């Protein structure tokens, strides 16, 4: 009876954690898993992420970002096309830049925050367009402070180890990040990544990106003036 109670409590804990992940908007896929993560009806932009091994058909007018067989190269192909993907392929609807590819052999080139750095594997063609980044986090750091993004991030962990923290205050979900983990973060999902003794190298795809001041220059924010309580 006691063990059942304990089991029920553990089960509740798992359920609560699952609920938090759902409420805050994060999905994790372990290395080796096979799944398709699709845009939610509430998303502004449509995408479909194919995790694991898939034959992906890309229609005219769409494009696909995917990793090469050894995950040490990245490809961008416009539809119509078909690609064989073994790690992660993400189709973005209604965006069709030129085909391109890059190896992922060198390190990052741009300073980021808190000792982190990045490289634009595929920069945004125009401000606000999708972009594929390479994010390096050294040991014992955090990727920014807790933050949100206005568009979806589909993140593939290339090497190393880290922790994803999602939620607010005492209500957070932590999840280990290691080689092959895929993490899908919904818009406005409060999160950050952390590292311990190992660095973390991951590849975030921005399902459309940000344009700087434009996101801060709107009536709700500009028209709000903080006062003492
Ligand atoms: Fe982030």
């Amino acid at each position: 009876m006691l063990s059942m109670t304990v089991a029920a409590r553990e089960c509740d804990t798992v359920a609560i954690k699952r609920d938090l992940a759902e409420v805050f908007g994060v999905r994790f896929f372990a290395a080796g898993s096979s799944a398709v993560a699709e845009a939610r009806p509430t998303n502004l932009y449509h995408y479909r992420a194919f995790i694991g091994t898939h034959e992906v058909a890309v229609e005219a007018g769409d494009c696909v970002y995917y990793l090469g067989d050894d995950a040490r190269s990245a490809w961008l192909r416009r539809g119509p096309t078909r690609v064989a993907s073994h790690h992660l392929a993400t189709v973005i609807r209604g965006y069709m830049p030129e085909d391109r590819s890059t190896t992922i052999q060198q390190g990052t080139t741009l300073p980021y925050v808190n000792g982190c750095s990045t490289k634009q594997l595929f920069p945004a063609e125009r401000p606000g367009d999708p972009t594929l980044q390479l994010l390096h986090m050294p040991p014992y750091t955090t990727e920014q402070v807790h933050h949100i993004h206005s568009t979806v991030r589909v993140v593939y962990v290339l090497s190393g180890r880290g922790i994803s923290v999602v939620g607010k205050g005492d209500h957070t979900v932590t999840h280990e990040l290691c080689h092959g983990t895929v993490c899908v973060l919904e818009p406005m999902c409060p999160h950050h990544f952390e590292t311990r003794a190992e660095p973390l190298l991951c590849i975030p795809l921005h399902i459309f990106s940000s344009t700087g001041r434009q996101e801060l220059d709107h009536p709700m924010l500009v028209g709000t003036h903080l006062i003492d309580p």
Side-chain angles (χ1 to χ4, degrees):
M1 189 65 183
L2 178 62
S3 62
M4 282 183 65
T5 307
V6 171
R9 279 192 195 133
E10 286 173 353
C11 203
D12 286 344
T13 305
V14 170
I16 288 167
K17 292 282 186 188
R18 282 207 189 108
D19 285 350
L20 281 175
E22 176 68 21
V23 167
F24 285 112
V26 62
R27 285 173 280 178
F28 295 101
F29 303 90
S33 59
S34 179
V36 179
E38 193 169 12
R40 294 179 174 182
T42 51
N43 288 152
L44 185 58
Y45 306 106
H46 191 276
Y47 69 94
R48 190 173 285 135
F50 296 85
I51 297 139
T53 296
H54 294 272
E55 181 89 14
V56 180
V58 186
E59 295 182 14
D62 300 344
C63 69
V64 60
Y65 292 76
Y66 66 103
L67 294 169
D69 290 351
D70 62 356
R72 285 290 171 176
S73 62
W75 302 74
L76 171 52
R77 299 273 301 275
R78 56 187 284 159
T81 188
R82 296 182 75 88
V83 301
S85 169
H86 300 289
H87 304 286
L88 175 63
T90 305
V91 174
I92 297 183
R93 185 174 292 170
Y95 182 61
M96 44 181 180
E98 300 269 10
D99 290 353
R100 64 193 68 165
S101 66
T102 183
T103 55
I104 312 173
Q105 302 294 342
Q106 296 181 319
T108 49
T109 51
L110 297 172
Y112 189 32
V113 294
N114 286 354
C116 300
S117 54
T118 191
K119 179 182 197 174
Q120 302 192 61
L121 294 174
F122 298 143
E125 187 78 32
R126 303 178 74 237
D129 281 350
T131 178
L132 190 71
Q133 300 280 320
L134 179 68
L135 169 66
H136 175 259
M137 296 181 59
Y140 303 111
T141 192
T142 62
E143 181 230 1
Q144 302 221 22
V145 290
H146 218 52
H147 62 277
I148 59 175
H149 303 295
S150 55
T151 55
V152 168
R153 299 291 186 270
V154 180
V155 184
Y156 180 84
V157 178
L158 197 57
S159 65
R161 206 167 278 272
I163 297 166
S164 161
V165 182
V166 165
K168 282 292 289 176
D170 294 334
H171 305 286
T172 57
V173 183
T174 59
H175 195 284
E176 190 171 5
L177 304 171
C178 54
H179 173 64
T181 304
V182 174
C183 171
V184 179
L185 293 154
E186 289 297 311
M188 313 308 175
C189 172
H191 73 280
H192 71 272
F193 291 170
E194 297 178 1
T195 51
R196 299 289 186 261
E198 289 186 47
L200 180 73
L201 190 63
C202 62
I203 303 177
L205 173 63
H206 300 201
I207 308 294
F208 289 85
S209 57
S210 302
T211 54
R213 283 296 308 170
Q214 191 177 19
E215 293 204 339
L216 302 174
D217 190 11
H218 60 82
M220 284 291 282
L221 192 58
V222 175
T224 300
H225 306 279
L226 304 182
I227 60 171
D228 291 332

